[in-house]
Amino acid sequence: VISPHLAQLDAPVSFDDGVAVGRGTIDGRRVFIAAQEGGFMGGAVGEVHGAKLVGMLRRAVDENADAVLLLLETGGVRLHEANAGLIAVSEVMRAVLDVRAAGIPVIALVGGSNGCFGGMGIVARCTNGVVISEESRLAMSGPEVIETAGGVEEFDARDRALVWRVTGGKHRYLLGDAQPSWPTTSTLPRCRAALADAARGAGTELTLEALEAEQRMLEKPPRALRRSTIRWRSGKHSASPSRQRAPAGDRRIPRTGRPPP
Amino acid sequence: VGVVGSGNLEVLIEQQPLDGACAIEISTAAHGFGPIWEAVMRDFHQRWQLADVHVAINDMGATPAVVSLRLDQAAGRSPAHLVAERWRRIMSSYQEATARQRIAGMLDAGSFDEFLPPQMRA
């Protein structure tokens, strides 16, 4: 099924609209699975693409699957399709939450070079767990978007270290947004093992308490950061003797066995 | 086979009763290259002599050589090709794999049942 919007714009279309959905088994357990094709329009979500994801998620509930796996690689909404694409993404979010409410765990795996951005970044965090590679990325607005909106002083999209420090898989794992990351060079069987582990360990509960705890966690980091900054500044003046700079005279290394010139 | 990306294309070959003919349908982003497409397709047909076959192409500015390569890959899904596929399944990195290769790598061998596969049209 191809995208009617792209066809109208005379833009290239794809037979699967950039996503493959279906069901299969992992170690005999019945799973429903979707994989976005990052090579087609950066894995962007159009109306058909989103509808395929929603259809798969609803059928997973109807057929009482053991788990749902989303192999995400996407820049978010396909801008060519405007509102239809935006609605498609919000429908995917609702469908993911419906699957979780039915007691079926949903696991997202992010390992493509395009990462997972925009509305699909939110979808990833609506799941029970995110498995991400160290070098992959997960965020809402992409680096170029932030730079365009906020200026290069706000975010320099060409600063690779900054981009990965903010959106990279390792960072997501350290923040608690994702499971321990694995190196991108991993072969498919190794990713499969990581995914199977995550699917086994995932809880499906989605409670108000858990959401409130998440909210408290989101409110915490800025305050904690400010406090530690103050401590670091005051520490400059009252540092412990071992960290204080010794006077210049004491730092000279005593020369032995060599006559002065 | 193939992905609709810059300089690339996807090819879908299906069996269809066409009274022994071979029908080709091309959707492309680049206009004004009719004679070149015709030449590439005539060469392909001479190489494979396919009958009762429908070939559909979604193109994003691929060069004639790439078009020929993808057509041959799509036409020649031979046992040797399947062995190569299996090897790729075990050895290839997740990052370099296409969406379907990733799914095949995650699931038990041969267990994938795709909904709305590429050959299904609305």
Side-chain angles (χ1 to χ4, degrees):
Chain A
V1 185
I2 62 166
S3 161
H5 303 274
L6 292 177
Q8 272 175 4
L9 293 168
D10 208 13
V13 294
S14 180
F15 292 122
D16 57 14
D17 206 34
V19 66
V21 297
R23 64 184 162 191
T25 58
I26 292 187
D27 301 330
R29 298 170 76 224
R30 294 175 308 112
V31 298
F32 278 61
I33 192 165
Q36 295 181 297
E37 178 52 69
F40 177 64
M41 307 201 117
V45 180
E47 191 177 7
V48 172
H49 184 123
K52 284 177 76 176
L53 287 170
V54 171
M56 182 275 286
L57 290 160
R58 288 192 187 152
R59 191 158 169 186
V61 175
D62 289 347
E63 297 188 14
N64 196 21
D66 291 325
V68 174
L69 310 171
L70 306 174
L71 314 184
L72 305 179
E73 178 168 7
T74 175
V77 170
R78 191 183 293 160
L79 297 179
H80 311 63
E81 310 207 5
N83 294 354
L86 287 166
I87 293 166
V89 170
S90 60
E91 283 176 349
V92 173
M93 285 175 206
R94 179 182 290 252
V96 165
L97 295 175
D98 285 345
V99 173
R100 287 184 64 179
I104 300 165
V106 185
I107 306 294
L109 187 137
V110 182
S113 48
N114 291 348
C116 178
F117 286 94
M120 291 307 285
I122 304 176
V123 169
R125 292 291 288 127
C126 286
T127 64
N128 294 98
V130 181
V131 183
I132 191 167
S133 76
E134 253 179 43
E135 294 86 352
S136 200
R137 297 168 295 153
L138 170 66
M140 176 67 209
S141 296
E144 277 86 1
V145 176
I146 303 174
E147 187 183 307
T148 307
V152 73
E153 298 85 3
E154 175 74 20
F155 198 95
D156 184 354
R158 281 171 304 177
D159 185 344
R160 313 283 279 178
L162 175 68
V163 170
W164 263 267
R165 214 154 55 227
V166 173
T167 66
K170 208 170 184 176
H171 166 84
R172 288 291 165 208
Y173 155 57
L174 293 172
L175 273 182
D177 290 339
Q179 319 261 341
S181 43
W182 87 91
T184 311
T185 45
S186 286
T187 54
L188 288 167
R190 192 157 163 215
C191 299
R192 177 190 154 125
L195 197 60
D197 279 353
R200 254 194 302 278
T204 56
E205 72 289 336
L206 180 64
T207 60
L208 185 61
E209 292 84 64
L211 286 175
E212 282 173 347
E214 184 97 334
Q215 183 65 30
R216 280 195 295 279
M217 193 272 286
L218 286 171
E219 285 167 358
K220 215 169 72 182
R223 258 185 277 133
L225 191 70
R226 216 177 300 134
R227 223 181 294 131
S228 67
T229 313
I230 294 161
R231 203 175 299 140
W232 175 76
R233 280 202 184 126
S234 61
K236 255 189 166 178
H237 302 290
S238 60
S240 59
S242 62
R243 297 194 72 191
Q244 244 166 357
R245 276 194 173 179
D250 291 348
R251 277 198 296 148
R252 221 177 286 147
I253 300 155
R255 290 186 193 149
T256 50
R258 228 173 126 196
Chain B
V1 294
V3 172
V4 190
S6 183
N8 205 345
L9 72 159
E10 65 178 353
V11 176
L12 181 67
I13 296 188
E14 296 158 287
Q15 290 285 345
Q16 251 176 39
L18 292 166
D19 292 332
C22 172
I24 301 176
E25 187 188 334
I26 299 162
S27 155
T28 176
H31 298 287
F33 295 93
I36 297 175
W37 278 107
E38 259 174 47
V40 171
M41 292 305 142
R42 207 176 303 115
D43 284 355
F44 166 72
H45 192 62
Q46 271 170 8
R47 277 198 303 279
W48 291 92
Q49 303 284 328
L50 299 173
D52 286 329
V53 154
H54 181 263
V55 180
I57 292 171
N58 283 327
D59 168 59
M60 208 190 236
T63 57
V66 174
V67 177
S68 289
L69 174 71
R70 293 277 176 258
L71 282 167
D72 288 346
Q73 284 174 332
R77 293 212 152 241
S78 58
H81 187 90
L82 294 176
V83 169
E85 197 100 297
R86 193 179 136 63
W87 182 84
R88 212 175 298 129
R89 204 181 128 97
I90 298 166
M91 293 307 293
S92 71
S93 87
Y94 183 88
Q95 196 172 19
E96 289 172 5
T98 64
R100 280 188 189 74
Q101 285 168 347
R102 284 175 185 174
I103 288 180
M106 297 300 118
L107 299 179
D108 298 338
S111 75
F112 185 49
D113 164 23
E114 184 168 355
F115 307 148
L116 291 176
Q119 60 270 22
M120 264 180 82
R121 293 177 172 87

